[in-house]
Amino acid sequence: HELACHSYSHPYFSMFSARAAEREITGAHKIIQHVVQEAGVGVSRQNRFFRFPYGDAGSYLNYDTSQEVLADLGYQIAWWDLDTQDWRMELSPYARKPAAVIASLSRARARDVVLLHDRTRTAQVLPSLLDILHSKGMASLPLSEYPVSHPDKSIE
């Protein structure tokens, strides 16, 4: 497992200023650093990844500011290639059936980063998800073993 940053309050970055984007990142970073220190984990063992909530990096100005702040803090941006929409299994009235989440992995290709969430229903179907990947000759790897930056990722 690896600990990563996903912002302080999980906002749409397109909904606020570059200064607010910076506060979202630095606020979460401070909390993570506190937790890492409390756990006694050495900073050198911590891989730093940041994923924009909803994949929304905001305007070009917000994204540029975010990239600068993240680089200064030693983070890499972690995009994804395949969204399983697993979070919808726990959302009413738009719930997604577990079978649909599992079937979404049929589209997975080698080296894809698959987006999953730390949720109860996702944990329940995780063995089936991993079985699908293994049946395709794929494996689950931590982000630190992946090329996570997608420089061609389009920004609003």
Side-chain angles (χ1 to χ4, degrees), residues 43-64:
V43 174
S44 64
R45 288 193 52 218
Q46 182 190 3
N47 294 303
R48 293 188 178 169
F49 298 101
F50 181 85
R51 179 166 287 145
F52 288 97
Y54 316 103
D56 176 19
S59 67
Y60 284 109
L61 177 60
N62 284 16
Y63 184 60
D64 286 346

Side-chain angles (χ1 to χ4, degrees), residues 7 17 29-30 33-34 47 51 55 63 71 82 87 102 104 107 112 132 141-142 145 149-150 153 155:
S7 76
S17 69
H29 172 74
K30 288 176 186 172
Q33 291 312 295
H34 177 75
N47 294 303
R51 179 166 287 145
Y63 184 60
L82 176 62
W87 56 273
I102 294 165
S104 70
R107 296 188 319 269
D112 274 358
I132 296 270
L141 300 173
E145 296 181 27
S149 270
H150 289 250
K153 181 74 176 175
I155 304 300

Side-chain angles (χ1 to χ4, degrees), residues 93-150:
Y94 307 106
R96 188 161 201 219
K97 294 185 184 303
V101 171
I102 294 165
S104 70
L105 283 185
S106 66
R107 296 188 319 269
R109 298 171 303 175
R111 304 195 66 76
D112 274 358
V113 174
V114 177
L115 179 62
L116 293 168
H117 296 80
D118 185 10
R119 310 261 245 164
T120 300
R121 298 291 303 269
T122 300
Q124 291 169 346
V125 300
L126 188 59
S128 298
L129 295 170
L130 292 173
D131 285 347
I132 296 270
L133 291 178
H134 292 151
S135 74
K136 296 178 76 157
M138 298 178 187
S140 176
L141 300 173
L143 279 174
S144 60
E145 296 181 27
Y146 249 65
V148 296
S149 270
H150 289 250

Side-chain angles (χ1 to χ4, degrees), residues 18-40:
R19 175 68 89 188
E22 180 177 355
R23 284 193 302 267
E24 280 289 326
I25 294 166
T26 58
H29 172 74
K30 288 176 186 172
I31 291 170
I32 291 169
Q33 291 312 295
H34 177 75
V35 169
V36 167
Q37 275 186 313
E38 288 287 317

